[in-house]
Amino acid sequence: MDFLQLFFVALMPILKVLLITAIGTFLAIERFGILRENARKHMNTMVYYLFTPALICSSLAKTLTFKSMVMLWFMPLNVLLIYIIGTALGWLLVKITRVPHHLQGLVMGCCASGNLGSLVFIIVPALCKERSNPFGDVDVCYRNGLAYASLSMALGSTYSWSIVYNIVRIYSSKISNVAKVEESIVNPLPGTETDPEDHSKCSIRALFTAEDKSQPNDRMDQLEVECKVPDEQAQVPEKLKIMKHLKILADKINLRTLFAPSTMGAIIGLTIGVVPQFRKLLVGDSAPLHVFQDSANMIGDASIPSMILLLGANLQGIKGLGMQFPLIIGIIVVKYIALPAIGIGIVKGAVHFSLIHPDPLYQFVLLLQFALPPALVVSTITQLFGVGESECSVIMLATYSCAAVSLTFWCTFFMWLVL
């Protein structure tokens, strides 16, 4: 199959995504107002807690087995490398373009994450369904492509909510912590009211010790006496100190996000698919409890169109926000030039050393993961923290507009490369 034929095969799935995105944008304009801000937030919540976990669980349970998991061992490492390399490139971009502090987490998250869910789930099966499909038998290609896309979606969702979530959280929490300190000084908790003058003295003491060491010693000593904690409160048992440090460590790591609904859906789906007893009980028309699997399929089918509609809805009303043009160009270069080029070296190197099995479709999916635009969950994460929502929309608009061209080119080139 020549390069031009591969180009038209790669173009069809991209057009589907563009059409659904345009519908989302159309529904969000003021004249219709169907997907307004409140509606988008509620829809994001449904996607996060219900649609995506159901899709991941049902797809993995239906398509993956223990044998296929052993064969696909390289994909988790491949996706992890994407996030590590993307974060490093994003950090360099932040330093070069001097991004404002509250947007640094957003920029690194956009460079690190890729839309490993909906786009892979749309592009790969759609390519297999094309009559001129270059990957062989349509049924075999579709079945294998669904398995690869399901695992890609599970990995992308897990890494996004464990890595990108915490990157954005770390940079946004520094701002929110300042606000919380100021609020606690102005509005103390019930039962802890103290003299406002004492607060101001203690605050001044903290400022002196942190920033102004040139103050006279007698003034510093006076403030220290006024802010001293009573002895009975200062004598904290060692056990309580240890528990306090453990709690602080757990808050910093934020273990709860590692078990997000999508992650739990992936764990349940993998367990059902890998354990033969569960698979016979739940998967297939002859399974006694197949109604649960069918229900999860029906709910999960709403995930992909919902996410793409939300993408289109978030792309409207974002003019004049003053995003730095070099920053936008930098993100596009990272996502569509640097990462795909690095990905070709990684995947071809893995093939050379026989680390992955020589399935052209599998190699194509591994390469495609390096060339995808930022994950849609980045938009959801910014809405959850209330940081950089408008800027995220600008980045999404720019990157997904370029994706229409870049993905078509890279899909064509990757198919030519692996065949």
Side-chain angles (χ1 to χ4, degrees), residues 362-416:
Y362 182 51
Q363 296 177 31
F364 171 79
V365 173
L366 294 177
L367 290 168
L368 178 63
Q369 290 173 338
F370 281 92
L372 297 168
L376 298 178
V377 298
V378 176
S379 177
T380 304
I381 291 171
T382 58
Q383 290 183 5
L384 290 176
F385 286 106
V387 176
E389 296 178 58
S390 299
E391 291 81 0
C392 181
S393 297
V394 176
I395 293 173
M396 291 294 176
L397 175 62
T399 53
Y400 276 81
S401 298
C402 293
V405 177
S406 66
L407 267 181
T408 304
F409 167 77
W410 281 118
C411 286
T412 306
F413 182 73
F414 291 155
M415 284 190 289
W416 175 82

Side-chain angles (χ1 to χ4, degrees), residues 100-114:
H101 188 273
H102 69 287
L103 296 179
Q104 292 179 8
L106 169 63
V107 173
M108 286 189 284
C110 288
C111 291
S113 66

Side-chain angles (χ1 to χ4, degrees), residues 70-82:
V70 173
M71 295 177 63
L72 302 180
W73 72 270
F74 187 79
M75 188 179 289
L77 176 61
N78 191 67
V79 177
L80 180 60
L81 289 174
I82 293 171

Side-chain angles (χ1 to χ4, degrees), residues 192-217:
T192 61
E193 292 85 351
T194 56
D195 189 353
E197 193 174 322
D198 293 338
H199 280 298
S200 62
K201 290 175 181 177
C202 292
S203 302
I204 293 171
R205 166 65 181 165
L207 290 173
F208 282 164
T209 56
E211 299 177 2
D212 192 359
K213 306 226 176 183
S214 63
Q215 295 297 321
N217 290 333

Side-chain angles (χ1 to χ4, degrees), residues 298-321:
M298 292 177 65
I299 296 173
D301 287 342
S303 177
I304 294 174
S306 297
M307 285 190 290
I308 302 177
L309 285 172
L310 283 171
L311 170 65
N314 288 330
L315 295 183
Q316 53 84 36
I318 57 177
K319 294 181 180 180
L321 293 176

